[in-house]
Amino acid sequence: MKDYQNYIRNFSIIAHIDHGKSTLADRIIERTGLVSKRDMREQFLDNMDLERERGITIKLQTTRLVYQAKDGNEYIFNLIDTPGHVDFTYEVSRSLAACEGAVLVVDATQGVEAQTLANVYLAMDEDLEIMPVLNKIDLPSARPDEVKQEIEDVIGVEAMDAPLVSAKEGTGIDELLEEIVHKIPAPEGDENGKLKALIFDSYYDNYKGVVIYARIFDGKIKKGDMIRLMNTGKKYEVTEVGTYSPGPVECAQLRAGEVGYVCASIKQVADARVGDTITLAEHPADQPLPGYKRVQSMVYCGIYPAEGEKYENVKDALEKLQVNDAAFHFEPETSTALGYGFRCGFLGLLHMEIIVERLEREFDLAVITTSPSVIYRVVMNDGSVQMVQNPTNLPDPILIDHIEEPMVKADIMVPKEYVGSIMEICQERRGTLLNMEYITETRVNLHYEMPLNEVIYDFFDALKSKTRGYGSLDYEFSRYQPSKVVKLDILLNKDLVDAFSMIVHESKAYTRGRFVCSKLKEILPMHQFEVPIQACIGQKIIARETVRAYRKDVIAKCYGGDISRKKKLLEKQKEGKKRMRQFGTVEVPQEAFTAVLKYDDNK
Amino acid sequence: MTTNNLGLYIHIPFCRKKCKYCDFLSFPCTSEQVYREYVTALCMEMDSRREDCESYVIDSVFIGGGTPSLISPEDIRRLMDTVRKDFHLAEDAEITIETNPASITQAKLDAYLASGINRISIGIQSFDNHILRRLGRLHDKNEAFQKIQMVRKSGFTNINIDLMFGIPEQPMKTWLDTIRQGIFLGPQHISLYSLQLEKGTPLYKEVYEDKLFAPTPEILDREMYHEAIRLLRQAGYVHYEISNTAFPGKESKHNLKYWSYDEYLGLGPGASSFFGGQRFKNHEKMNRYIDAIKKHQVPMDQRSIERYSEKEEMGIYVFTGLRKAEGISLDDFRQRFERDLFSVYDPAILRRYKGLLKLSENQLYLTDAGMDVSNTVMAEFV
């Protein structure tokens, strides 16, 4: 091991949402003197507003910190943050691969959660040193001893000496920093070997192009090097290397064991895929680093400009988002109901929601999203296979031999009093219980196999609602399985609105049909004529509702010349109308498209 | 401005008792002294507006409320004298006072006429005692008849009665009886208002919270409206605005100002104005209004001043104009805004609202059916 490597610690913080990861990271950054407390925005690492609001980290940010340890030496801490949601498992695993250790934050009041476990397993897969920390120790409901025991029982790592911290109040942070020095191994690697650097994140910068975050495993990289990305095979010239502390600071080179950024005039993040290996074009490494996977979208939906919104604007925004998000992709499509729009692929439902919200907030665009869909494997009578993700493209049933749907393995962790209701909602969603284990006396891990189609619909909402927020979910794709799925269409005033079409399991078609009809009845405004709402499979109508006609929409009195009041009233009405989409003669409010997907507690 | 005529609205915000459906700005008050002091304040407000109105001719005055008929004959005289002193009042100005049958007296009627008031509006609402009680009105059917007679005999030749329909659990028959009796009494002008249940009013609570009465179904409300219009037309009334009918030539000038993009100046708390190209309101709170007057300031609520863009003003022009049966004139629009109406708004609106919105001989107007859903159509233009 080289001398400089002795003073480097590369680590991640892993935690369940809400367990205080970001706050803890803030405290560490503050304590190492990088940012003064006064100048610090809360939760430094979460730098997108949306993340702040949801309290979850989506996009990684890596920071180089300098810690003055009690042994008198200065240590470089490379804090590599990881996203905190099931949709981003692959990104998490690549970030972890860049580290030697992981600080596992467990909420001392809540204990271990499914997602914590999932991330711990990922860390273990990368052979990381796991260093547990108990957070929220200041809360009266904290039960550190029990939770330590739980960590030992469930995760199987030594936890009795785990630092007790309160990230909120800043207690225990010094002990934690010392522990990092002692427990987390220093990096290894040959700085004179052939370059092997792992891309674990990237983002697009308007001036520099794609900025790659990389961990150097062997060799070194500097400005002017010709590099090759081993999986995509593309070559670039390095224009800058440096570290983030927290702003970019250019440096002469990055050596084995170090973490930093690399710029090489790369046009979009999709060209510098997470998990790819950087090597030198002249003296390439023999093998890329293991673990690279191509991004696979799991969930698709249509995104259309809302009434009055320009197609081009939406397209520009999607392109901008794509430049920065290798996991998101889109292509143009048309819908008879919604006109020109885009079919978009996402890692999961959260990823989809994030993209849609960013379109609305950052780009101020009004868009309509259609029912999310998974990819069905349609086996035709002639034996050929079609992958279908847009319900509209489902071939004529006569030509289909059978359809297969994607299944996932889902780990659901809940306090035991909720097991009954969880089994019920899993049952309703065609889940098969594979295994059930008691993690502790009060907490259960349920292993289910479930159709992804059911998971993306409203499962997460239902889970949260049935467990008062205590349940957690983690899932991953397992296999394709033949399934009796049918296409459910919705007709408004006898016209098919393709944007509402969805593929559902035969056994669910009636309930879903009825649900969508009654939901639309609630949401559709009254028109000057009756509007029948019908749900059908093929020609067969399976559910029906009617929105009655309105007859009156007039203000009789004149408010003594208060025109402004009347104007405001009309504006409000118009505002409501603007959010409507005209389908033939029927006006549909935008929210109808998402409302029909939402979990309804009272149904 | 193509005209320098001005309508004057004078607000009297007192009632003996607030009606159960009312959400207008008025307070229960019976103190003669308060009335007197308030009228003094109004006179001071007029004084303060004297210069601003130099270049205008007042061609309509509307004393509305509240219940202006609570005010004593002397105070009414004082008010009208001040109007004449401070402003140029046209010879043929339409001067209206709103009254409640319960507070009409011969002495007041004489004073009205003597002070130049030439139009009287009587809040009858219904000739059915059940309905009158449900509304919380102070008068009954007999008093309504008596007072209308008294007004006529006094020499008023321009009388309006307000009638109301769509009252919770009001049967069609009761309403048509009210209309027939109204027609029989022969006022020159009949207003018919579809009752709006406003949140915060006792009647709203009785209907939607206590569920004492069922609200009138929309369909019935519209049948009541159209049936009444039919009867009124038969009797020679012209349906000239959504809620107003009159014998030809007796349309309310003042009312039409609101819908014809004409200027009006409102006096009294909460009164709205469209004056000097600006839209604003007076302070709604009585004490703030009085305070401003005492300091010889214009009692305008600065926050209420609206500065609309030209496009917004076009919208106002259109949606107010559409309240009138004749609608709006495309020529007038062009003259005022130097644009063609259909270069500003999508002509497809005509197709979308076929049967509701019509264009004929350069007039754009709502059909009878269109009036039922006028907001829907008007919302297209704001």
Side-chain angles (χ1 to χ4, degrees):
Chain A
M1 196 192 295
K2 295 286 186 302
D3 194 43
Y4 72 92
Q5 289 175 336
N6 273 329
Y7 303 102
I8 296 178
R9 297 292 180 273
N10 297 319
F11 64 97
S12 278
I13 304 178
I14 56 184
H16 183 66
I17 300 169
D18 300 336
H19 281 199
K21 180 175 72 173
S22 300
T23 324
L24 184 63
D26 285 353
R27 287 300 96 85
I28 294 175
I29 291 167
E30 192 185 297
R31 200 58 60 95
T32 50
L34 189 65
V35 186
S36 79
K37 193 166 185 175
R38 203 164 42 90
D39 295 339
M40 203 159 106
R41 273 169 89 192
E42 276 292 295
Q43 306 198 348
F44 186 80
L45 291 175
D46 293 356
N47 64 353
M48 293 201 303
D49 285 346
L50 196 63
E51 292 172 27
R52 273 169 196 285
E53 233 162 81
R54 293 180 173 223
I56 49 174
T57 315
I58 298 150
K59 194 75 188 160
L60 323 167
Q61 258 226 350
T62 291
T63 312
R64 180 177 187 268
L65 310 166
V66 180
Y67 175 60
Q68 191 72 49
K70 292 198 173 121
D71 62 13
N73 293 316
E74 260 187 7
Y75 287 84
I76 305 295
F77 283 3
N78 288 309
L79 170 51
I80 296 169
D81 199 17
T82 59
H85 190 274
V86 288
D87 286 353
F88 302 98
T89 306
Y90 173 67
E91 281 73 6
V92 174
S93 80
R94 292 306 84 205
S95 290
L96 292 173
C99 304
E100 276 75 39
V103 173
L104 167 66
V105 184
V106 180
D107 184 326
T109 68
Q110 302 226 41
V112 179
E113 308 264 358
Q115 206 181 68
T116 324
L117 260 194
N119 286 344
V120 168
Y121 290 147
L122 289 174
M124 286 174 164
D125 287 347
E126 301 300 329
D127 286 326
L128 301 196
E129 178 69 31
I130 313 271
M131 198 189 111
V133 176
L134 270 59
N135 191 20
K136 304 200 186 176
I137 207 75
D138 56 308
L139 296 181
S141 53
R143 38 184 185 89
D145 294 337
E146 264 176 73
V147 172
K148 279 180 189 172
Q149 191 61 51
E150 193 174 304
I151 294 171
E152 296 206 339
D153 294 348
V154 179
I155 301 174
V157 297
E158 165 68 35
M160 286 309 150
D161 301 328
L164 303 180
V165 307
S166 162
K168 203 172 115 220
E169 304 198 333
T171 50
I173 305 297
D174 292 333
E175 292 80 350
L176 171 64
L177 294 172
E178 281 298 310
E179 281 276 304
I180 292 171
V181 170
H182 297 305
K183 275 204 147 173
I184 293 177
E188 294 172 15
D190 179 5
E191 71 170 309
N192 298 315
K194 289 175 179 169
L195 176 66
K196 263 191 191 180
L198 173 70
I199 301 178
F200 60 88
D201 190 21
S202 62
Y203 73 96
Y204 185 80
D205 179 281
N206 281 335
Y207 302 104
K208 298 178 180 171
V210 174
V211 178
I212 293 171
Y213 284 101
R215 156 72 195 268
I216 319 299
F217 279 92
D218 285 314
K220 47 192 166 221
I221 185 169
K222 60 180 192 306
K223 185 172 170 178
D225 283 346
M226 281 303 292
I227 53 167
R228 188 160 72 86
L229 305 183
M230 296 183 79
N231 287 290
T232 57
K234 293 189 176 163
K235 281 184 195 168
Y236 302 93
E237 185 184 334
V238 175
T239 57
E240 184 180 331
V241 297
T243 56
Y244 270 79
S245 54
V249 178
E250 194 172 350
C251 64
Q253 60 174 1
L254 293 173
R255 295 174 290 176
E258 292 184 320
V259 171
Y261 69 86
V262 175
C263 304
S265 307
I266 301 172
K267 295 285 181 320
Q268 53 175 349
V269 287
D271 293 331
R273 287 233 165 89
V274 167
D276 207 344
T277 304
I278 306 173
T279 194
L280 291 179
E282 294 285 304
H283 305 284
D286 309 330
Q287 290 289 324
L289 294 159
Y292 176 78
K293 268 200 271 183
R294 279 203 56 207
V295 184
Q296 177 68 55
S297 297
M298 298 265 270
V299 175
Y300 285 82
C301 82
I303 291 184
Y304 288 83
E307 196 76 41
E309 197 64 78
K310 288 200 182 73
Y311 173 85
E312 285 303 323
N313 295 350
V314 176
K315 188 174 170 218
D316 287 350
L318 291 176
E319 276 169 358
K320 285 194 182 114
L321 288 175
Q322 191 181 35
V323 156
N324 231 333
D325 183 347
F328 166 66
H329 65 88
F330 68 95
E331 56 192 48
E333 73 166 2
T334 48
S335 147
T336 45
L338 297 169
Y340 291 100
F342 306 90
R343 177 107 316 225
C344 305
F346 308 93
L347 294 173
L349 209 54
L350 179 87
H351 188 207
M352 170 178 137
E353 282 176 15
I354 289 165
I355 295 281
V356 171
E357 279 198 50
R358 291 186 66 183
L359 285 176
E360 287 172 353
R361 286 196 205 183
E362 290 169 35
F363 297 91
D364 196 24
L365 293 171
V367 294
I368 293 177
T369 52
T370 64
S371 316
S373 171
V374 300
I375 310 171
Y376 293 91
R377 198 167 174 273
V378 182
V379 181
M380 311 298 286
N381 288 331
D382 63 7
S384 65
V385 171
Q386 291 186 21
M387 302 303 278
V388 175
Q389 29 90 345
N390 185 346
T392 318
N393 297 341
L394 197 68
D396 190 327
I398 304 170
L399 306 172
I400 298 175
D401 181 70
H402 70 276
I403 302 177
E404 295 173 6
E405 66 174 332
M407 304 296 287
V408 294
K409 281 216 168 76
D411 288 349
I412 302 155
M413 203 176 281
V414 287
K416 72 171 176 199
E417 59 265 40
Y418 300 115
V419 166
S421 36
I422 292 307
M423 287 182 153
E424 200 179 304
I425 61 171
C426 290
Q427 193 90 36
E428 277 171 15
R429 286 165 181 77
R430 301 184 284 130
T432 314
L433 183 63
L434 300 176
N435 188 11
M436 168 171 153
E437 48 185 336
Y438 272 81
I439 300 169
T440 64
E441 271 172 34
T442 53
R443 297 165 57 73
V444 178
N445 195 352
L446 298 163
H447 302 284
Y448 268 93
E449 186 177 54
M450 281 173 79
L452 178 60
N453 164 323
E454 301 284 348
V455 177
I456 62 163
Y457 170 49
D458 63 357
F459 183 68
F460 199 62
D461 290 343
L463 174 74
K464 284 285 167 198
S465 149
K466 291 279 183 192
T467 62
R468 298 164 184 267
Y470 286 115
S472 57
L473 166 74
D474 186 60
Y475 65 84
E476 62 175 358
F477 172 77
S478 63
R479 66 197 172 102
Y480 272 94
Q481 174 180 285
S483 172
K484 289 196 166 160
V485 292
V486 292
K487 181 165 160 251
L488 180 67
D489 291 320
I490 301 295
L491 310 186
L492 294 182
N493 205 18
K494 308 266 159 68
D495 293 329
L496 185 135
V497 180
D498 59 0
F500 281 123
S501 294
M502 55 184 108
I503 295 174
V504 293
H505 191 256
E506 199 179 56
S507 67
K508 308 294 278 300
Y510 283 82
T511 7
R512 275 296 273 288
R514 273 196 299 274
F515 172 72
V516 172
C517 287
S518 71
K519 203 75 196 179
L520 285 176
K521 184 186 177 176
E522 269 171 41
I523 289 173
L524 291 192
M526 287 195 280
H527 286 66
Q528 286 154 258
F529 43 86
E530 277 195 351
V531 179
I533 305 167
Q534 295 160 312
C536 346
I537 300 171
Q539 300 298 312
K540 192 169 144 212
I541 292 164
I542 60 165
R544 183 195 161 103
E545 291 278 357
T546 306
V547 182
R548 68 186 174 86
Y550 75 72
R551 299 300 174 95
K552 182 191 168 194
D553 180 21
V554 58
I555 293 169
K557 54 184 182 181
C558 71
Y559 299 121
D562 190 349
I563 302 297
S564 301
R565 177 168 170 182
K566 167 111 183 160
K567 181 171 186 285
K568 278 179 196 126
L569 243 139
L570 291 173
E571 275 165 357
K572 221 171 133 189
Q573 189 158 347
K574 188 183 175 186
E575 203 45 51
K577 234 186 153 75
K578 235 167 90 182
R579 297 196 66 85
M580 305 272 190
R581 190 86 191 191
Q582 191 90 25
F583 291 121
T585 47
V586 183
E587 283 174 344
V588 181
Q590 320 266 44
E591 69 259 31
F593 295 93
T594 40
V596 300
L597 308 171
K598 288 291 175 208
Y599 176 68
D600 188 349
D601 229 347
N602 306 315
K603 80 180 167 192
Chain B
M1 283 306 125
T2 53
T3 165
N4 56 350
N5 284 340
L6 181 70
L8 205 60
Y9 175 80
I10 304 175
H11 191 55
I12 308 291
F14 307 115
C15 287
R16 241 167 72 196
K17 176 178 151 249
K18 215 164 155 99
C19 297
K20 280 160 69 176
Y21 55 86
C22 175
D23 75 331
F24 281 119
L25 184 71
S26 73
F27 335 96
C29 171
T30 50
S31 158
E32 291 284 340
Q33 199 195 327
V34 171
Y35 298 165
R36 202 159 44 242
E37 285 170 9
Y38 175 69
V39 169
T40 305
L42 280 176
C43 291
M44 288 170 77
E45 188 184 1
M46 283 192 256
D47 293 346
S48 74
R49 283 295 190 182
R50 185 188 179 121
E51 279 173 29
D52 302 335
C53 296
E54 274 284 77
S55 62
Y56 287 93
V57 171
I58 309 285
D59 62 345
S60 76
V61 178
F62 195 98
I63 308 171
T67 312
S69 50
L70 286 178
I71 301 296
S72 71
E74 300 78 66
D75 283 337
I76 291 294
R77 240 175 256 133
R78 202 148 59 90
L79 209 54
M80 285 310 299
D81 285 349
T82 312
V83 171
R84 289 201 171 76
K85 172 174 75 81
D86 287 336
F87 308 116
H88 309 295
L89 186 64
E91 280 287 318
D92 60 345
E94 175 194 277
I95 306 173
T96 308
I97 188 163
E98 263 189 325
T99 61
N100 185 315
S103 51
I104 291 176
T105 64
Q106 192 59 55
K108 283 175 186 163
L109 293 175
D110 294 341
Y112 297 161
L113 287 166
S115 59
I117 294 172
N118 53 25
R119 185 170 181 272
I120 190 163
S121 173
I122 314 172
I124 300 292
Q125 315 311 351
S126 176
F127 291 110
D128 182 278
N129 285 338
H130 282 292
I131 293 292
L132 288 168
R133 273 199 299 277
R134 189 161 305 159
L135 294 174
R137 298 292 294 183
L138 293 162
H139 64 277
D140 62 7
K141 171 182 177 173
N142 284 343
E143 184 164 30
F145 279 135
Q146 277 169 19
K147 294 294 168 69
I148 293 174
Q149 298 299 343
M150 190 193 270
V151 168
R152 280 245 292 262
K153 278 189 194 149
S154 303
F156 277 95
T157 54
N158 200 351
I159 304 169
N160 167 57
I161 60 173
D162 282 346
L163 299 177
M164 195 178 268
F165 63 97
I167 298 154
E169 298 189 10
Q170 176 188 34
M172 177 67 114
K173 182 178 177 307
T174 317
W175 164 240
L176 293 183
D177 284 347
T178 285
I179 280 287
R180 285 194 191 97
Q181 295 183 66
I183 289 170
F184 172 77
L185 291 166
Q188 288 73 18
H189 192 286
I190 296 181
S191 299
L192 53 163
Y193 292 108
S194 165
L195 173 66
Q196 260 167 267
L197 289 171
E198 300 285 356
K199 269 192 189 145
T201 60
L203 194 60
Y204 181 93
K205 182 173 177 290
E206 285 178 6
V207 171
Y208 290 110
E209 290 166 34
D210 307 339
K211 317 251 181 218
L212 297 180
F213 311 105
T216 304
E218 287 183 354
I219 294 180
L220 178 58
D221 178 284
R222 290 298 94 188
E223 280 172 1
M224 286 176 156
Y225 178 71
H226 290 293
E227 197 53 23
I229 298 288
R230 194 179 65 82
L231 292 174
L232 286 160
R233 279 182 177 147
Q234 258 176 21
Y237 290 88
V238 177
H239 181 209
Y240 72 95
E241 192 260 357
I242 285 184
S243 302
N244 289 288
T245 67
F247 287 148
K250 295 290 186 180
E251 297 87 355
S252 166
K253 264 198 219 173
H254 189 83
N255 185 10
L256 282 173
K257 279 188 187 297
Y258 295 137
W259 316 127
S260 307
Y261 210 72
D262 290 336
E263 290 191 283
Y264 47 91
L265 181 66
L267 307 173
S272 303
S273 300
F274 176 33
F275 183 64
Q278 220 176 27
R279 296 182 191 274
F280 57 88
K281 269 165 105 169
N282 280 353
H283 289 301
E284 289 197 0
K285 291 261 184 338
M286 184 59 107
N287 53 358
R288 298 202 61 180
Y289 170 78
I290 297 286
D291 284 352
I293 295 287
K294 279 187 181 157
K295 290 184 200 149
H296 298 280
Q297 293 167 349
V298 173
M300 190 200 294
D301 179 353
Q302 294 296 327
R303 293 165 311 170
S304 74
I305 303 173
E306 300 281 2
R307 289 190 182 80
Y308 293 130
S309 65
E310 170 138 70
K311 179 86 196 279
E312 284 178 297
E313 287 294 340
M314 290 180 193
I316 291 174
Y317 179 90
V318 175
F319 82 70
T320 52
L322 286 178
R323 282 189 70 97
K324 297 182 288 181
E326 61 171 33
I328 52 174
S329 147
L330 298 194
D331 296 334
D332 188 58
F333 184 94
R334 192 180 307 116
Q335 243 170 36
R336 230 176 251 275
F337 298 109
E338 294 169 345
R339 302 260 320 253
D340 273 318
L341 187 127
F342 284 113
S343 71
V344 181
Y345 302 103
D346 186 357
I349 289 174
L350 284 170
R351 266 202 313 282
R352 199 173 319 148
Y353 295 102
K354 202 167 168 235
L356 304 177
L357 185 65
K358 259 191 161 161
L359 179 66
S360 116
E361 293 176 16
N362 263 347
Q363 289 285 127
L364 182 72
Y365 62 94
L366 291 172
T367 63
D368 281 1
M371 286 193 182
D372 289 347
V373 292
S374 58
N375 285 348
T376 318
V377 183
M378 289 171 182
E380 291 287 343
F381 296 92
V382 293

